[in-house]
Amino acid sequence: MEALRQDDPRRFGRFTALARFHEGASAVRYVARDTATGEVVLVTAARPQLAAVPVFSRRFRAEAHTAERLAGGWVSPPVDLGEEPEAPADGPEPLWTAAAYVPALPLAEAVAIAGPLPERALRILGAGIAEILSRVHASGSVLQGLAPGTVLLAADGPRLTAFGPLGAAASAEVGPGGQLSVRLGYLTPEQIAGKEVSAASDLFVLGLLLAYAATGTTPFTEGPAEEAARRIAEDEPELDAVPDPLRELIASCLAKDPAERPAAGTVAAELALEGAAGLARGGWLPERLAAAVTDQEARVLALEPPEDDTEPEAGSAEAAEAGAGAAEAEAAGSGPEETPEPEDARPEDPRTDVARPEDPRAVPEPQDARTAPEPEDARPLPVPPADASQTDASPADASPVNAPASQAPTAAPASAPASASDGDIGEDRGTTRFLNTGPRPPQSDRPTTQLALPHELTAPPGAALVPAAHPMPPALPAAPGTPQQPQPQPQQPSHTQGGPAPYPAAALPAGPAGPGGPGGGPMVSLPLPPAPAPAPDPGASRRTLLTIAAAAVGGLVVGGGSVAALGSGDTAAATDDKPAPKPRRTLPGQAPEPRWIYAHPASESSPLTTAVWQDKLLVVTSESQASAVDLRTGKRLWQRADGAKGQAALAAGDDLVFVASPTEFLWLSPKNGKVVHRVRYTEAFTDLPGLTVGRLAGSSGPVIWFTGSHTVTVKAPKPKKGKKKEKDKDKEVVQAHFFAYDIVQRKELWRTAVPAGRSPGTPAYRVVAERSADVLVRQDAVSLTAAEVKAAKGKGSVRSFDQKTGKLLWTKKYGAASLEAATTGDEDGALYAAVGKDLQAFEADTTKPLWRVEGSDGSWFGTPLVAGPLIHTTERSRLVGAVERESGRLVWRRSTEVPGIGNAPSLTLSSSEKTLIAADAIQVTVFSAADGERLWKFQDIGSADPKGATVSAPYRALTFGETVVVQRDRSFYAFPVA
């Protein structure tokens, strides 16, 4: 963390910048505060030169919305996306986002402070990141956002701050014609071979990060730097310094064959079976890192806005002009007046063969400034003698990626040896580092993968792409009015000390014209077609494609395959003229290919209820209509406005679909949705005028149970003879009933009067067990009247109604089960209820306790699911399990790997009862019902349109045959299950 620089923006919307937190290739992060509320945030502000490029702006927004969709757990929720209705008339649109501030250290800085992490901390770090990757991969996407600077270590666990190539870029530059080149800091074996990246590629990078965190270096550093790519592709990783219990797992992540790498969920489970959050309870950081995090938090709280608060807001014309003026001044050889140097400023770079952007405030540094040892792969590569008439290296080659983008390169004297290295880490001189914890770890400055994104304006038809003349993309364009600098010759930079060593592009062969000639670089920019306009149906959530160009050892091979970016939707189209590749083998833990995908039309209101009818139809009701989808094909068959606001559809015999609407019962034809029968409540219940039917309490075969209420007028009593007439008024009283109704015979079976509920008066009942003689019912706490809540004294109750007559048999309370406690029962007379943090079994008729299963601290059980000899359990701490019905013995318990605390996942069994599906607001996790093996996960994070609405609806699961239909809001996916 550093003090603000002179040209840093001071305002981001309602936030005032306080300090620099971290500097990356494409953006700078600032600690900022809302002066009105005191809220502290981390603002990620795109570099102005990049923000002005339309394709960068779109991608930046898309990654910001991806972070919003993944928010929760180890992803800090965005506070403000910094979106403006339109760009200012006299300047570029400001491009920034703000997320909640969590005191934390970047992984690279943590390793520089305290050295390699201990085993327990490694497990928590790896499990937390793997949990995020598991959520990403469940949607068939690839993250490409892992790097030492994008992973933070907080007091309660790790955090991820990058959600795509821009966030994790080692370099991001604009070339001629507005082409954007984004280069990642890691290379994987499949990229070296020119193949497309996949979910397994994220696992390889995770292995590199864990190896770095465990040893302080990357596992392929031994040997000549020019052979680094060959070592990645062929050599075994050096993992001798990795703790023994973790060595095999990290080695499996670094397998050359992507198919041999474990799934993210497998890695998370092996590192922390109870989940990263569970393992991190009580603290997880070494003492020095915990102290540094605490110190950072204290210093952030003490930060005050700079006294000179005249800096224009981000994106304003004044800010742009100031940046341009600074660039002009430096290009002309003049700069601002030198200032006294702070004691912790970094030393001057003695390497004179590499051109570096110089801070105009730079001054000499004391010779005793602290440095860190340089890793072995940081040795510079041999370079030809510098020509005095030319600049030694391009900014992309020579400067650290965290150099300010507005600074122009200054040629260094050519007399210094190329191999000289003082361990300079590219820290801006003339700034103050708040934490006195040693040099800031560097960013990887040797790119290995190049992401080419197009300018808004495409080339004329037939225009050919010209390969880059040197390994690195062109430097950022100068600010308007800045004299053009001569194009520097290609030259390899030397790696600085600290973080994981990148792998040199120079190790790859030159083009046919030799070094520096046409095609001489190993990277070729493949332009993407112009970004498509937002689809008219955001529910379809079209996938955005990224083209990754990777150079291969032994010859230039450009990978033309496409990979779906995180935040994408359904169909990935090819990005070149080659035939679409065959579907890859599903990795363990990754969701299988869906049989079909159905998107509910955006022109209609969102679904209210969904139900499977006779394993043939998926019946969806909404505010406007009821519709049916063919379960074999996922195609809509019909829609019927009469079914608007209907409750979940049921089977009325073999040939009719029953739907209860707010005013009537409907029987629809499954073929075309035509109304075959209609029973209005005013006609069926003539003695209950104005009857309001509540939510269905349950069903069994042809019988449904529901509550209803109506209002009656009670006349005021007449005054007694001889007494003065009182002015009493008639009263409106709500009367409620509990009904049983046969939907095949279309007749009422019985009704019984029950206490009215909270206004408007219909109590909400739920059938928790059906037995041969009675039905056990529980009332939702939200529908209890204030008097009922007071009388209950915090304890919930269960009512028993006679199956044949509806007579109330008894009302009982079970232990300390609360009003809101999840409860269910079985046909054998047992009742299962959440009591405190535990799950307890009772005899339903006597309330005698049978057994108890202990839950997690700070959590409680959700509604259990009875299945044969087992009861499947679910907890708010995201644990799912199974216990024996007879004894309560725990059979298995697993985490869904969703971090944090939320609502307990809802449980569904497949038709065969072999597969258990747990659905919550974050994802769907599928287990083997017998032993709890995690089979796969799925997450649909919604539309990739940056301006599209964020989907926050929870997941639902419905099963039929060997299929589970997963729903999230308007999207439905049919997956095969056992």
Side-chain angles (χ1 to χ4, degrees):
M1 194 165 62
E2 300 173 353
L4 294 174
R5 300 177 184 174
Q6 183 177 358
D7 55 352
D8 281 330
R10 292 325 195 240
R11 297 282 300 178
F12 298 95
R14 58 190 173 100
F15 302 107
T16 299
L18 304 176
R20 279 181 163 236
F21 185 82
H22 180 265
E23 187 171 12
S26 62
V28 179
R29 277 184 285 169
Y30 299 90
V31 178
R33 180 185 294 131
D34 185 337
T35 53
T37 65
E39 180 182 23
V40 180
V41 298
L42 273 185
V43 172
T44 301
R47 297 188 181 278
Q49 294 90 338
L50 299 176
V53 180
V55 68
F56 178 92
S57 177
R58 288 199 305 269
R59 175 56 51 189
F60 185 92
R61 294 288 187 206
E63 293 188 12
H65 279 270
T66 295
E68 184 180 35
R69 296 178 183 111
L70 286 175
W74 309 127
V75 177
S76 296
V79 174
D80 193 329
L81 295 184
E83 293 176 317
E84 303 266 337
E86 59 184 15
D90 54 353
E93 179 182 2
L95 199 57
W96 58 273
T97 65
Y101 166 72
V102 176
L105 301 174
L107 174 60
E109 183 176 336
V111 171
I113 292 172
L117 300 181
E119 180 188 338
R120 179 169 173 268
L122 288 170
R123 287 184 176 275
I124 295 168
L125 170 65
I129 301 304
E131 287 167 7
I132 299 174
L133 290 179
S134 182
R135 294 167 57 195
V136 173
H137 297 167
S139 63
S141 304
V142 183
L143 181 65
Q144 292 185 282
L146 296 181
T150 67
V151 175
L152 305 182
L153 309 186
D156 59 345
R159 295 292 190 280
L160 185 61
T161 62
F163 306 93
L166 290 188
S171 176
E173 299 172 347
V174 180
Q179 187 182 55
L180 177 68
S181 293
V182 176
R183 297 173 294 148
L184 305 180
Y186 283 108
L187 196 65
T188 65
E190 53 268 30
Q191 289 172 305
I192 294 175
K195 299 178 181 178
E196 66 177 18
V197 295
S198 65
S201 303
D202 281 338
L203 270 297
F204 188 90
V205 179
L206 176 60
L208 290 174
L209 280 178
L210 289 177
Y212 165 65
T215 65
T217 185
T218 49
F220 296 101
T221 58
E222 189 68 32
E226 61 271 16
E227 296 182 6
R230 180 199 59 77
R231 292 198 300 273
I232 296 172
E234 301 175 5
D235 291 358
E236 293 301 316
E238 294 289 339
L239 300 176
D240 292 344
V242 173
D244 291 343
L246 303 181
R247 190 174 302 146
E248 182 178 353
L249 179 62
I250 294 177
S252 66
C253 292
L254 297 174
K256 307 302 181 187
D257 185 355
E260 295 180 0
R261 298 171 200 157
T266 301
V267 173
E270 290 195 25
L271 289 172
L273 187 59
E274 67 271 53
L279 187 57
R281 288 193 183 102
W284 70 292
L285 292 176
E287 184 176 351
R288 290 188 64 188
L289 297 184
V293 170
T294 302
D295 184 55
Q296 180 193 104
E297 181 179 19
R299 292 178 182 273
V300 166
L301 292 176
L303 286 175
E304 295 294 340
E307 293 182 3
D308 182 10
D309 198 18
T310 59
E311 178 70 18
E313 184 173 345
S316 67
E318 291 84 351
E321 291 172 3
E328 290 174 1
E330 189 166 356
S334 63
E337 195 174 276
E338 292 188 353
T339 58
E341 174 184 282
E343 293 182 357
D344 65 347
R346 303 299 307 146
E348 290 281 302
D349 189 351
R351 294 173 292 179
T352 54
D353 65 316
V354 176
R356 294 175 45 85
E358 290 292 327
D359 189 290
R361 296 162 293 173
V363 291
E365 165 155 7
Q367 296 182 1
D368 59 350
R370 299 191 299 178
T371 60
E374 182 178 15
E376 292 184 15
D377 72 339
R379 294 169 296 186
L381 299 177
V383 294
D387 189 291
S389 64
Q390 294 176 329
T391 305
D392 290 299
S394 70
D397 289 350
S399 64
V401 298
N402 58 355
S406 63
Q407 297 172 353
T410 303
S415 58
S419 60
S421 175
D422 68 341
D424 179 71
I425 61 172
E427 182 170 349
D428 176 59
R429 291 175 291 277
T431 63
T432 301
R433 185 168 49 248
F434 287 104
L435 287 177
N436 187 22
T437 51
R440 184 183 62 198
Q443 304 289 329
S444 297
D445 59 359
R446 281 190 197 147
T448 56
T449 304
Q450 178 171 327
L451 169 66
L453 298 174
H455 190 267
E456 282 280 42
L457 302 178
T458 58
L465 289 175
V466 179
H470 53 82
M472 304 304 179
L476 293 171
T482 303
Q484 293 294 322
Q485 300 294 327
Q487 182 66 32
Q489 292 297 317
Q491 183 170 325
Q492 284 300 323
S494 61
H495 173 55
T496 56
Q497 99 287 355
Y503 306 107
L508 303 170
M523 304 300 179
V524 176
S525 297
L526 293 181
L528 208 64
D537 179 6
S541 59
R542 298 299 177 191
R543 293 187 182 270
T544 303
L545 301 181
L546 302 180
T547 303
I548 304 296
V553 175
L556 182 61
V557 179
V558 176
S562 58
V563 57
L566 178 64
S568 51
D570 52 12
T571 305
T575 58
D576 49 32
D577 296 331
K578 294 183 290 186
K582 295 180 179 180
R584 297 188 300 279
R585 182 178 68 85
T586 301
L587 293 173
Q590 184 174 344
E593 288 293 323
R595 303 185 193 276
W596 50 258
I597 301 174
Y598 167 70
H600 191 72
S603 58
E604 302 175 11
S605 55
S606 296
L608 294 175
T609 69
T610 53
V612 169
W613 182 87
Q614 296 286 59
D615 288 1
K616 297 177 181 178
L617 298 179
L618 177 70
V619 181
V620 181
T621 66
S622 67
E623 292 281 347
S624 57
Q625 63 188 10
S627 57
V629 176
D630 190 332
L631 285 175
R632 297 172 304 161
T633 64
K635 304 296 183 182
R636 178 185 271 196
L637 298 179
W638 51 261
Q639 55 265 6
R640 177 66 56 179
D642 299 79
K645 301 181 181 179
Q647 301 192 49
L650 299 170
D654 296 331
D655 55 356
L656 291 176
V657 178
F658 172 82
V659 175
S661 81
T663 59
E664 59 189 350
F665 290 148
L666 298 173
W667 286 261
L668 309 178
S669 167
K671 295 181 179 180
N672 53 24
K674 180 180 179 181
V675 178
V676 178
H677 302 290
R678 186 193 307 267
V679 175
R680 292 183 173 87
Y681 303 147
T682 55
E683 299 171 355
F685 309 99
T686 55
D687 58 333
L688 301 174
L691 178 68
T692 298
V693 173
R695 185 192 66 199
L696 295 185
S699 66
S700 177
V703 178
I704 62 172
W705 296 281
F706 61 92
T707 54
S709 66
H710 75 123
T711 302
V712 297
T713 301
V714 178
K715 296 290 185 180
K718 294 181 180 180
K720 293 181 179 181
K721 187 176 181 180
K723 291 189 176 183
K724 184 178 180 180
K725 184 177 181 180
E726 297 179 1
K727 297 181 179 180
D728 290 339
K729 296 182 179 179
D730 296 342
K731 295 181 180 180
E732 300 290 326
V733 178
V734 176
Q735 294 180 345
H737 295 82
F738 184 43
F739 297 84
Y741 191 93
D742 190 314
I743 61 176
V744 173
Q745 300 182 45
R746 299 194 298 282
K747 71 175 185 179
E748 179 184 346
L749 299 179
W750 50 256
R751 79 176 76 158
T752 187
V754 295
R758 187 185 296 271
S759 180
T762 304
Y765 281 8
R766 183 173 64 86
V767 173
V768 297
E770 181 197 4
R771 305 190 294 184
S772 58
D774 63 352
V775 178
L776 303 186
V777 174
R778 183 175 173 83
Q779 183 174 350
D780 288 353
V782 293
S783 69
L784 293 170
T785 64
E788 288 174 323
V789 172
K790 183 178 180 180
K793 296 181 179 179
K795 295 183 179 181
S797 59
V798 173
R799 295 182 175 100
S800 169
F801 294 92
D802 187 276
Q803 276 270 31
K804 295 182 179 180
T805 65
K807 178 183 177 181
L808 177 63
L809 301 178
W810 48 256
T811 300
K812 297 182 184 296
K813 297 180 180 180
Y814 296 86
S818 68
L819 294 169
E820 299 84 8
T823 307
T824 194
D826 60 28
E827 70 281 2
D828 296 331
L831 198 75
Y832 312 97
V835 180
K837 68 181 183 66
D838 301 333
L839 179 68
Q840 194 164 354
F842 302 88
E843 284 186 357
D845 293 319
T846 67
T847 71
K848 176 184 176 181
L850 299 176
W851 47 255
R852 179 190 297 266
V853 175
E854 290 189 1
S856 307
D857 292 336
S859 181
W860 57 79
F861 282 88
T863 303
L865 180 64
V866 178
L870 298 178
I871 298 173
H872 293 291
T873 63
T874 174
E875 298 181 57
R876 187 168 175 257
S877 57
R878 316 300 175 100
L879 293 175
V880 174
V883 299
E884 293 180 350
R885 282 174 62 182
E886 290 294 328
S887 63
R889 185 183 70 86
L890 182 65
V891 178
W892 60 264
R893 182 181 286 174
R894 301 283 186 274
S895 171
T896 63
E897 298 173 352
V898 173
I901 296 292
N903 292 329
S906 61
L907 302 180
T908 308
L909 275 171
S910 64
S911 300
S912 67
E913 298 190 352
K914 294 180 179 179
T915 306
L916 180 68
I917 301 100
D920 57 26
I922 304 298
Q923 69 184 28
V924 172
T925 312
V926 179
F927 301 87
S928 168
D931 57 14
E933 178 187 0
R934 274 183 292 260
L935 303 178
W936 49 267
K937 300 180 182 181
F938 173 75
Q939 183 185 50
D940 169 23
I941 61 174
S943 172
D945 178 12
K947 296 187 180 298
T950 298
V951 178
S952 58
Y955 290 90
R956 300 174 183 172
L958 304 95
T959 59
F960 69 95
E962 296 181 345
T963 303
V964 56
V965 176
V966 172
Q967 177 202 357
R968 194 182 196 201
D969 195 35
R970 299 176 180 273
S971 300
F972 297 80
Y973 304 82
F975 293 105
V977 292

